[in-house]
Structure formats: C-alpha cells, structure tokens
Amino acid sequence: MNKYNSMVFRLTGIIFLLFAATIGTLLFLVNYQMDTHFSNYLYTHAMGGMPMGMHGMMMHNSPENIYLSSVHQSLFWVGSVMICISVFVSWLFVRSFVKPLRKLTDAVHDIAEGSFGQTVRVDRNDEVGMLADTFNDMSRKLEYNDTMRRQLFASIAHELRTPLAIMQGNLEGMIDDVIPADKEHFLSMEDEILRLNRLVQDLRDLSLAEVNELVLHKSDVDLNLLLTRAAGMLQPLFDEKNLHVTVHLDDAVPLLQLDKDRTNQVIYNILNNAIRYTPEAADITITTCLEEAAGKRQVRLQIADTGPGIEKEDLEHIFECFYRAEKSRNRKSGGSGIGLALARQFVLSQGGTIQAASEVGKGTVFTITFPAA
C-alpha cells in the first residue's frame, strides 16, 4: 500500500491544512487591522495639541477601541467560520470512512447467520480497503470450506453405505433362506467388514494427522530398500498390464528418520494409483537422489508415469479427501479417494513435502522430499 493512501497520512494532512488555514487567516486579518486602524491611532496620537476636555470626549470613539472591537469581531467570525468548515469536512470524511465499515458489519452478520460467501466492494487502497479485501478472502474460504465439509459428509456416507448395504442384503437373504449361510458368503461379508474397518481407520489417521496428533514410530529407514521391496511386491500387477518399470536409486541416499509403516503406505498409494491409471505397455519410473536445497540436504523421491495425466482444474484438488477427477465413483477406475490425502498428511507429519505435476496426455510426476540428517 502506498503511504499516501494511508489514513494516517490523510488525517495528518487534513488536520495540518485546517490549522494552517486558521492560522493564516488570523495572521492576515491581524496584519490588516494593524495596517489600517492602528496606523490611524498613531497618526491621531501624534497630533498632540488637542485640549484635555476634547481628548476625554474623543475616548469613546478612540482608534484603540475601534481597533480592539474590530479584532474581536474578526476573530469571532473567523473562528465561527473555521469551526463550521472543520465540522463539515470532518463529517464528510467520517461518513466516507464509516460507510464501508457498515457494509462490512452487515456482511459479518450474514456470515454469522450461516450465509457464507458474502463479499464487500470497497474501491479504496487504504487500511479499510485492505480490511475489505481480507474479509472477502476469508468469506470465500469459509464458503469453500463449508462446501468441502458437505461434500466430505456425503462422500463418507457413500463409502459407508456400500459395504453396509452388501452386508444387510446378505443377512436378510440368509434370514429368508434365499442365500445359503455357507462359508463363501461369510467370507464375502468379512471382506466388506475389513474394507469398512480400513476406511474408518484411514479417516481416523487422517483426522489425527491434520491436527498433528498422529503418533509416529520413527527409526532409521533405508528409503531405497523400501522402494525396491514395494516394486517387487507389485511386480505381478505391473506384469498384468505389461508396464515397464524403471528404478534409478541413488546409492548416496542416507538412512532417514521416518515412520516405516506410514512411509510404506505413501509409496504403495502412489504406485497403486500409477498402476490403476496408466494404460497397458506404458512406463513407470522410480528415482531417488540426494540433493542440497537452501543450504540443507534432502532426499528427493520421484514416481513418474506416462498415463493420461490430470487436468489442471483437478490437479490442485487431488490431495483433498474423497476428491476424484473421475466423477462416476466407479471402483474399477478408482479407490475410495482418500489415499492421496493420507499420503500428503503422512509426508507432512514427517517433515517432508509432496507435490504433483501433470500434463494431459503425457503423464504425472509425484515428487516427495524428506530432510536428510
């Protein structure tokens, strides 16, 4: 903000101008009175030869009385006029100052009643304008968070409803002797219970990680070894889609203080997404390297695929809970939508960073960094 737009500067300037105008006017009138009436007084006094009786008769209309009366009248009128001007200018200024604040107050009342997204238009660059801009940003974020909260509840209800409906259907069929109560159906119901339990556990871990209360069991972890084992465990899935997996691991990567289980979950989540969305006979590249950034050593892990990529409007939301670029919610094309949100929170909880870059038609790259001791 330019200092000339500051209200402090404006107030100081207005007060200075009012005082300057008042003092200047007073000086001008005093000088004017001195040049006219007081000069006349000196001239009359210099005459000197007037008799005493005549002098007493002239005292009532003497130049001194005329001078003093004129000065008093001038000061009175000047003061009255300047007070009126000051009051008028102050009223105009305060009115223009309070008007946007009243708009802000009305908008705050609307937000307090649950009407999020209210904005105030204030075309000024001073502190009031900055306050209005900040309020507008806050209001838009509240509206966005409220929308995401509603979507989150709807997504959780959707994810919970599916396994519950399956189990309810099986139980009702068994009660009505429509479905046989055999081991196969019990195992199917157990799978749904396990999936439901995993979802609840993931939601619990996510909520704990967001408030920095997730318990981490850190130890010396060989990140290259974790990646090698993960690639080996997922090799059947790679072979099923005829994916070409290339692994470039930097031998200089040191042991890192990480939670092994949480880090494994991050790696598997990203690799499973790459397998799920990458077409057959495509490429997946896994690389690690030790680098220095801002005077600190860090380990960078990249998992890149040559899949269809992610649209720009979807890319900035992929780490949000239950967000899917594919809106049909088909389980063949996507999981529950919580994997990347968990991965992000697990990485952040361990002092790392995670980013995604994508280009439609060329693929997606996930970059994870961890501080190196």
Side-chain angles (χ1 to χ4, degrees):
M1 181 183 67
N2 192 325
K3 68 177 182 179
Y4 297 108
N5 293 324
S6 173
M7 293 181 60
V8 175
F9 181 85
R10 291 183 179 182
L11 285 172
T12 304
I14 290 175
I15 294 173
F16 171 79
L17 291 176
L18 289 175
F19 273 104
T22 302
I23 295 172
T25 304
L26 289 175
L27 291 177
F28 171 79
L29 290 175
V30 169
N31 288 330
Y32 175 78
Q33 299 297 335
M34 292 289 290
D35 289 337
T36 55
H37 297 289
F38 194 66
S39 297
N40 186 29
Y41 163 74
L42 293 177
Y43 173 77
T44 304
H45 186 71
M47 296 295 293
M50 188 176 298
M52 291 295 296
M54 184 64 68
H55 184 268
M57 297 174 58
M58 297 289 293
M59 283 297 295
H60 181 71
N61 295 322
S62 66
E64 292 94 331
N65 287 334
I66 296 174
Y67 169 73
L68 292 176
S69 176
S70 178
V71 169
H72 286 306
Q73 289 180 3
S74 299
L75 291 176
F76 173 78
W77 287 111
V78 168
S80 300
V81 171
M82 292 308 301
I83 289 175
C84 293
I85 294 176
S86 300
V87 170
F88 180 71
V89 172
S90 300
W91 178 79
L92 288 178
F93 177 77
V94 173
R95 183 174 178 271
S96 64
F97 174 77
V98 172
K99 186 176 181 179
L101 294 181
R102 289 179 177 174
K103 293 181 181 179
L104 281 173
T105 302
D106 295 337
V108 169
H109 287 161
D110 292 337
I111 289 180
E113 295 176 357
S115 179
F116 302 115
Q118 299 291 328
T119 58
V120 177
R121 182 178 179 181
V122 179
D123 298 326
R124 50 196 301 172
N125 298 320
D126 55 12
E127 287 85 348
V128 176
M130 294 175 62
L131 176 62
D133 291 338
T134 304
F135 171 83
N136 292 338
D137 292 339
M138 180 198 70
S139 180
R140 284 188 285 264
K141 288 180 180 179
L142 285 174
E143 182 183 29
Y144 173 77
N145 291 336
D146 184 64
T147 302
M148 294 304 299
R149 178 180 61 84
R150 297 175 186 273
Q151 292 180 358
L152 176 62
F153 288 155
S155 299
I156 292 176
H158 177 88
E159 297 297 333
L160 296 178
R161 184 172 61 244
T162 302
L164 290 175
I166 293 175
M167 288 187 290
Q168 181 181 0
N170 279 274
L171 287 174
E172 290 177 351
M174 292 178 184
I175 293 173
D176 297 336
D177 295 327
V178 177
I179 298 177
D182 53 17
K183 183 177 181 180
E184 179 182 356
H185 288 90
F186 283 127
L187 289 175
S188 176
M189 293 174 62
E190 183 187 26
D191 289 340
E192 295 301 324
I193 292 175
L194 291 175
R195 182 160 66 87
L196 185 62
N197 184 63
R198 284 195 301 270
L199 176 60
V200 173
Q201 183 63 38
D202 287 344
L203 288 173
R204 177 181 179 275
D205 291 342
L206 182 61
S207 63
L208 290 176
E210 288 180 343
V211 296
N212 296 322
E213 293 185 2
L214 182 66
V215 178
L216 299 176
H217 303 282
K218 290 187 177 182
S219 60
D220 289 337
V221 174
D222 188 341
L223 186 61
N224 289 344
L225 181 59
L226 291 184
L227 291 168
T228 302
R229 289 178 177 176
M233 292 293 294
L234 295 174
Q235 190 61 48
L237 297 179
F238 293 144
D239 295 337
E240 183 179 348
K241 296 187 69 173
N242 194 25
L243 299 175
H244 304 95
V245 181
T246 305
V247 180
H248 298 292
L249 304 179
D250 187 355
D251 294 334
V253 172
L255 297 177
L256 303 176
Q257 280 290 313
L258 301 174
D259 186 315
K260 182 178 178 181
D261 294 335
R262 306 296 186 187
T263 307
N264 256 328
Q265 191 170 352
V266 172
I267 294 172
Y268 277 97
N269 280 339
I270 297 178
L271 286 177
N272 279 323
N273 277 345
I275 294 172
R276 182 180 295 116
Y277 294 107
T278 302
E280 295 187 2
D283 297 324
I284 295 179
T285 305
I286 304 172
T287 61
T288 60
C289 70
L290 178 65
E291 61 184 13
E292 186 169 339
K296 297 181 179 180
R297 294 199 311 163
Q298 65 181 21
V299 175
R300 177 164 54 88
L301 161 64
Q302 282 190 332
I303 299 177
D305 63 63
T306 56
I310 304 173
E311 296 287 345
K312 184 177 180 181
E313 58 269 20
D314 294 322
L315 186 62
E316 58 185 8
H317 300 293
I318 62 172
F319 292 112
E320 296 175 2
C321 189
F322 292 113
Y323 184 87
R324 294 180 186 170
E326 197 275 317
K327 302 298 189 299
S328 67
R329 306 192 71 85
N330 184 359
R331 293 192 177 276
K332 293 183 179 180
S333 63
S336 65
I338 198 174
L340 289 179
L342 273 175
R344 178 178 180 272
Q345 289 299 329
F346 288 165
V347 171
L348 295 179
S349 298
Q350 300 182 87
T353 63
I354 182 170
Q355 295 177 339
S358 183
E359 187 174 351
V360 177
K362 294 186 178 181
T364 305
V365 179
F366 285 90
T367 303
I368 302 173
T369 62
F370 290 112

